[in-house]
């Protein structure tokens, strides 16, 4: 059975007050996205880890400039560790049997996502779940 571990880091205190049960809802959204995604058959016997960083526009702007060459904040960035389209059949065998395989990192920017939710008439909670 596929197992997923989520590491959630709140680098911005604004996220702590964002909406009730933030951590639980983000964990549920990430688990749902992972379980519903198409995966190679080899995934069935492994455990995986996803890292989610909840930050602010200042940090997101720096990341966006460094990794995408865009000097502005964005709502979400993802940094996959595995390219599933080019994953050889035996690629997961390089990981020890009982270790979690890192899938990658997802970074969300509070101010940008909050502004988008207001513009689109969505709750912040629903928009964050959509981004995840």
């Amino acid at each position: 059975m596929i197992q997923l571990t989520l590491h959630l880091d709140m680098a911005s205190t604004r996220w702590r007050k964002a909406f009730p049960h933030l951590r639980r809802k983000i964990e549920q959204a990430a688990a749902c996205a992972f379980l519903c995604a198409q995966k190679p058959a080899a995934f069935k016997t492994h455990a995986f880890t996803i890292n989610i960083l909840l930050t602010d526009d200042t940090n997101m702007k720096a990341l966006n400039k460094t990794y995408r060459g865009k000097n502005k904040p964005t709502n979400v960035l993802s940094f996959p560790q595995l390219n599933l389209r080019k994953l050889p059949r035996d690629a997961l065998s390089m990981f020890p049997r009982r270790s979690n395989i890192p899938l990658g990192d997802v970074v969300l920017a509070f101010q940008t996502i909050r502004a988008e939710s207001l513009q689109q008439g969505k709750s912040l909670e629903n928009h964050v779940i959509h981004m995840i």
Side-chain angles (χ1 to χ4, degrees), residues 5 20 33 40 44 49 52 55-56 66 73 78 82-83 110 112 116 128:
T5 300
K44 291 180 182 175
T49 301
I52 297 178
T55 193
D56 59 23
T66 299
S78 62
L82 300 172
N83 184 340
F110 183 80
T112 298
E116 288 176 350
V128 168

Side-chain angles (χ1 to χ4, degrees), residues 81-127:
Q81 297 298 311
L82 300 172
N83 184 340
L84 297 181
R85 291 192 177 120
K86 296 181 180 180
L87 191 68
R89 286 184 180 248
D90 63 343
L92 299 182
S93 65
M94 69 180 164
F95 295 96
R97 204 75 154 128
R98 296 180 187 212
S99 68
N100 282 11
I101 298 171
L103 289 177
D105 304 305
V106 178
V107 184
L108 292 100
F110 183 80
Q111 295 96 319
T112 298
I113 291 176
R114 182 183 62 196
E116 288 176 350
S117 68
L118 292 171
Q119 287 173 336
Q120 298 171 18
K122 299 177 183 176
S123 71
L124 177 63
E125 179 180 328
N126 286 341
H127 196 44

Side-chain angles (χ1 to χ4, degrees), residues 4-71:
L4 178 68
T5 300
L6 175 72
H7 296 285
L8 182 62
D9 183 20
M10 285 184 246
S12 170
T13 57
R14 296 172 188 207
W15 284 103
R16 295 191 198 287
K17 299 176 185 174
F19 52 87
H21 312 290
L22 170 82
R23 178 177 291 278
R24 181 176 52 82
K25 290 181 180 181
I26 287 176
E27 288 172 350
Q28 289 173 341
C32 182
F34 176 72
L35 292 173
C36 294
Q38 289 185 337
K39 295 172 281 305
F43 272 49
K44 291 180 182 175
T45 58
H46 292 279
F48 299 90
T49 301
I50 295 174
N51 300 308
I52 297 178
L53 174 63
L54 304 176
T55 193
D56 59 23
D57 276 8
T58 302
N59 289 331
M60 183 62 92
K61 180 180 176 181
L63 289 170
N64 205 22
K65 184 176 182 184
T66 299
Y67 294 101
R68 297 180 64 224
K70 298 184 179 196
N71 194 24

